Amino acid sequence: MNVAIIGTGYVGTVTGACFAELGHNVVCVDIDRSKVDLINAGIPPIHEPGLAELLEKHARAGLRATVDYNDAIPSSDLTFICVGTPSDEDGRIDLSIVRCASESIGDALELNGRDSHHVVVVKSTVVPGTTEDVVAPLIRAREERENVGIAMNPEFLREGKAVYDFMNPDKIVIGGDPSSAEMVARLYEKIPCEATLTDIRTAEMIKYANNSFLATKISFANEIGNICKQLGIDVYEVMSAIGKDFRISEQFLNAGAGFGGSCFPKDVKALIGRAEELGCDPLILRAVVRVNEEQPMRMIELLVKRIGDLRGRKIAVLGLAFKNDTDDIREARSIPVIRKLLGMGASVAAYDPLAAENMRAVFPDVEYCQSAADALNGTDGCLIMTEWDEFGSLDLEFDAMNEIVVIDGRRAVSLDRGVYEGICW
Ligand code: NAD
């Protein structure tokens, strides 16, 4: 099938590359010409394991990119909207990019007046009601287009494992009328996973309920972890045991510095915003966000307890990405921590295997180091903010600190000398 993908960020690029791998002809559209040029050159605009290989294999033969909607939409059977859905200042969903992309799709469809059926699929995470109330009217604005179907196909991939997750999903959810949903399902038919077919609003809600539940698990583990720490109990032992209960499962119970990334924080807040508009009071969701916002500040409190006033002190921050195996720093827990350290008069030496360049744009005054050893050298304290595998083998590197004081937000290292303290253990 011929597929247009609008937006070549994490979701769009991975979706495009994976659809090409499944044998479809894909054309990606982005307003950012540098991303378009990279994709056409077979180079991923983002870091994701396995993505470079797919782009190299399919670029120009089965997968290309353009900045021109008219070059992509008319020749496609389906168009996937994969643009960002950030939060506004109140935490509610900002649909301006989705609106803009929908208008451009509507224009491209109108300009090129297609005879055959075309399905516009929302893959961006949008609050229930958006696809039908915002996207569909913009796409069908000028006339009642009988031959344009609308569907919703939320994405559940995890950054750092995005290609694997796309090709090996535990669920495929498609919302829409039967003929549109069937067209979307055909795209995935080589993937051995039964699609859940439902209506559009339910598909939208499944994505929010899914992310909110996972975020709740993390904040729950963190809250229990904070209590365990006061009691001298190892929360990891507790979570490992309760995770054996099949109704709970061990996933997403790693107590630590909290969740970040482009999805959980904004999605939970967007659902809170939508619930409030509806007159609901989402008590649990609000608590999930609050625990998550307080958790990184506990890293600073523990550090201050150990080394006192931070003014003039040099602190190593190991790990900047919101999690390992990605260069994505969106809502990374390292951001409020670094902001607080700088605000308290400390200087920061940071190291991350992939995310340093992205963080430089946020904190230009931080010293970005080439290795953990460089970052630790001559520092008065160390905060571990990301669970990179390589941190697990750090040992003698800590001896280069003025004094070994390590606060671990991810249970990423084990150290039997100096001060080593976990955020929840
Ligand atoms: P992103 O910000 O990485 O990428 C969005 C892309 O859209 C950018 O390349 C941007 O240049 C492009 N863009 C902006 N305006 C455009 C326009 N008018 N026309 C064409 N392109 C335009 O976003 P992302 O992380 O890929 O997320 C996209 C959506 O998928 C969001 O709704 C997100 O919540 C959801 N989602 C993300 C993930 C994830 O792990 N990142 C997982 C599941 C779902």
Side-chain angles (χ1 to χ4, degrees), residues 181-242:
E182 194 269 329
M183 252 178 99
V184 180
R186 271 173 51 207
L187 283 172
Y188 292 98
E189 64 193 4
K190 284 194 189 156
I191 295 181
C193 175
E194 201 185 327
T196 300
L197 303 184
T198 183
D199 62 78
I200 287 177
R201 277 167 196 248
T202 307
E204 292 169 328
M205 191 55 165
I206 288 170
K207 174 66 188 171
Y208 279 95
N210 198 100
N211 274 4
S212 297
F213 186 77
L214 294 175
T216 304
K217 273 187 103 172
I218 297 171
S219 279
F220 172 81
N222 289 341
E223 185 158 291
I224 298 291
N226 295 341
I227 301 167
C228 281
K229 188 174 169 79
Q230 295 299 320
L231 292 166
I233 296 168
D234 183 349
V235 63
Y236 275 68
E237 229 180 284
V238 174
M239 292 302 155
S240 165
I242 71 164

Side-chain angles (χ1 to χ4, degrees), residues 133-154:
D133 301 342
V134 177
V135 175
L138 289 169
I139 286 178
R140 296 181 170 136
R142 287 143 197 97
E143 55 190 287
E144 214 18 73
R145 291 197 186 102
E146 293 300 326
N147 59 349
V148 177
I150 305 285
M152 206 283 149
N153 171 219

Side-chain angles (χ1 to χ4, degrees), residues 2 28 33 45 47 54 59 63 72 102 114 119 137 275 354 377 394 400:
N2 297 315
C28 296
R33 184 173 282 281
H47 174 84
L54 287 186
L63 174 72
S102 304
R114 282 177 59 101
V119 179
L354 288 177
N377 195 14
L394 290 176

Side-chain angles (χ1 to χ4, degrees), residues 1-5 24-27 72-80 109 114 116-121 147-150 179-180 183-184 186-187:
M1 295 171 93
N2 297 315
V3 187
I5 305 280
H24 304 296
N25 290 315
V26 177
V27 51
I73 310 266
S75 53
S76 299
D77 306 307
L78 301 105
T79 296
F80 278 75
L109 285 170
R114 282 177 59 101
S116 54
H117 197 62
H118 186 97
V119 179
V120 177
V121 190
N147 59 349
V148 177
I150 305 285
S179 86
S180 300
M183 252 178 99
V184 180
R186 271 173 51 207
L187 283 172

